[in-house]
Amino acid sequence: MLDFAAQYEAFRRRDPAWDGIIFVAVKTTGVYCRPVCRARTPLARNVSFYRSAAAAERAGFRPCLRCRPETAPFCPAWKGTKTTVERALTLIEGGALDRGNIDLLTRRLGVGSRHLSRLFAEYLDASPLQVALSLRVRRAKRLLDGTDLPIRLVAERAGFSSARRLNAAFTRLYGRPPSAIRKPVSSKTRTS
């Protein structure tokens, strides 16, 4: 471990490189924090450093309610609402909105549809349905480029409810139907 002065300087700068490596306990408040905590920096004489949250707790300190040091950096609880968006994206990529609707997705995530829409707007500048449509179009484009499947099967395998929906999405995005986008496929990569 580095000396006290180096640790305190990193804490004073709120250096993210130290996050999860040291924990800062404040003797006057009985609270311990992560080095990136936005709370006011205490005087050096009132601070002690620990290698883990458990060590700070064993010494009698309680976790800060602002920076939540009891959660390790980069774990789901530490990332907060971003974790909900990541979980939603994983479910959407797995076809949750191809086979279901927003209400089913939000129930699986344990949030409301309005809250999920706000989170998607904050992190992705798009709605969950727009993300799902973009993924479907990307899947369809890969199938069009790499296979000679009929448009109806491309639509089905990409997650569209019908070939008409696939045509509408491609026309809106590319200004032409999927058949006009299809690349010629060599005989070795053709599938049926």
Side-chain angles (χ1 to χ4, degrees), residues 150-165:
I151 298 295
R152 179 185 56 76
L153 286 176
V154 168
E156 182 182 307
R157 290 187 183 176
F160 286 94
S161 59
S162 68
R164 182 183 300 159
R165 299 245 182 201

Side-chain angles (χ1 to χ4, degrees), residues 2 47 84 87 95 101 108 113 129 144 156 158 171 178 183:
L2 291 175
V47 170
T84 303
R87 285 179 48 224
N101 59 29
R108 285 180 72 180
S113 59
L129 292 174
L144 289 168
E156 182 182 307
T171 302
K183 290 182 181 176

Side-chain angles (χ1 to χ4, degrees), residues 71-82:
T71 62
F74 311 112
C75 79
W78 184 73
K79 293 186 333 188
T81 56
K82 186 175 182 184

Side-chain angles (χ1 to χ4, degrees), residues 96-132:
L97 292 179
D98 297 344
R99 296 178 299 278
N101 59 29
I102 281 285
D103 291 333
L104 291 173
L105 176 64
T106 57
R107 269 189 251 140
R108 285 180 72 180
L109 294 169
V111 298
S113 59
R114 288 180 61 206
H115 182 60
L116 185 63
S117 292
R118 280 193 299 270
L119 292 177
F120 266 66
E122 178 182 342
Y123 288 103
L124 303 172
D125 287 331
S127 74
L129 292 174
Q130 289 165 327
V131 170

Side-chain angles (χ1 to χ4, degrees), residues 53-103:
E57 290 169 6
R58 189 179 63 237
F61 294 95
R62 66 183 187 282
C64 172
L65 296 176
R66 182 180 284 181
C67 68
R68 299 183 62 191
E70 73 279 12
T71 62
F74 311 112
C75 79
W78 184 73
K79 293 186 333 188
T81 56
K82 186 175 182 184
T83 300
T84 303
V85 174
E86 289 172 353
R87 285 179 48 224
L89 286 172
T90 300
L91 291 170
I92 292 169
E93 285 174 7
L97 292 179
D98 297 344
R99 296 178 299 278
N101 59 29
I102 281 285
D103 291 333

